[in-house]
Amino acid sequence: MIETFANPSSGPDPVAVLFHPTAVPVIDVFRSIGRLDDQYDLSLLDAPERALSAYVSPGAAKGIVSDALLLAFALSRQRGRAFDHRPLRSRYGSLDEYGLLVLIGASRRPRSDLAREASAFLEVSPFDLLTALAGELARQIGLGTIVFPMPDVDEFRSVIGTEAHEQGILVEAFGKPGLHLGL
């Protein structure tokens, strides 16, 4: 669902993405990893791991954190610049966070238009190690009850497209009941 609103975030994105509550712990792992640049303390990942345990088994939560850590380091290295992250536990996401979750979900079909466009948006290549890392993360996420449906390529284009620069848009992302990453 896309509704037109002024962007409530303080960041530069003209679009605010509203994640389903069960997807927030997944993006919080990446947000916490982003904070590792300031202080290298892996305990920053404890809170997102605990939050994930509400939706997946404790073992799968550890797997998600571990796989996200590997993916985040690979993405940062290939991309060469930091991701724009919102505060921890925020349902509002940045376009970078939206693109990241779309890339993870699209890793099930790495040669799809959606995977290619999410990769291009994030300035990474979909056909290398990143696909395998994102695919394993997607598999771990699929073990639980995290709502994580993927947009079609037209919806993705409309969210990240140039038309969004003219107005703020609030996107209810990944909130379609009954659709999960594993489908």
Side-chain angles (χ1 to χ4, degrees):
M1 174 169 75
I2 299 176
E3 298 179 48
T4 304
F5 287 97
N7 185 348
S9 68
S10 60
D13 289 338
V15 173
V17 179
L18 184 63
F19 295 118
H20 189 277
T22 64
V24 172
V26 175
I27 201 63
D28 274 355
V29 173
F30 289 94
R31 290 169 174 164
S32 295
I33 291 168
R35 293 173 56 204
L36 289 176
D37 292 340
D38 299 331
Q39 58 183 37
Y40 195 80
D41 181 2
L42 290 177
S43 68
L44 291 172
L45 299 171
D46 291 345
E49 184 179 321
R50 280 191 304 276
L52 282 166
S53 293
Y55 306 107
V56 296
S57 71
K62 284 189 183 304
I64 290 170
V65 170
S66 176
D67 291 341
L69 188 62
L70 291 172
L71 178 60
F73 286 138
L75 285 169
S76 294
R77 184 164 188 225
Q78 189 178 95
R79 189 172 191 212
R81 64 183 174 86
F83 282 83
D84 176 29
H85 289 295
R86 297 293 182 250
L88 288 175
R89 296 177 298 282
S90 174
R91 286 188 63 199
Y92 288 103
S94 68
L95 286 178
D96 279 352
E97 292 170 338
Y98 174 74
L100 177 60
L101 291 184
V102 169
L103 179 66
I104 292 166
S107 69
R108 297 260 188 208
R109 290 177 289 193
R111 302 214 185 277
S112 70
D113 288 343
L114 184 59
R116 278 193 285 276
E117 291 199 27
S119 299
F121 175 73
L122 294 173
E123 302 169 19
V124 297
S125 170
F127 303 114
D128 58 5
L129 174 65
L130 297 179
T131 301
L133 292 172
E136 182 56 25
L137 179 56
R139 187 189 71 73
Q140 292 281 358
I141 292 168
L143 295 175
T145 59
I146 298 171
V147 177
F148 208 86
M150 288 296 93
D152 63 30
V153 72
D154 291 330
E155 181 182 337
F156 180 74
R157 288 173 184 158
S158 70
V159 171
I160 64 157
T162 57
E163 299 82 17
H165 294 287
E166 297 172 11
Q167 61 183 347
I169 297 176
L170 176 66
V171 179
E172 178 75 29
F174 312 118
K176 299 172 186 167
L179 296 178
H180 295 80
L181 181 62
L183 295 178

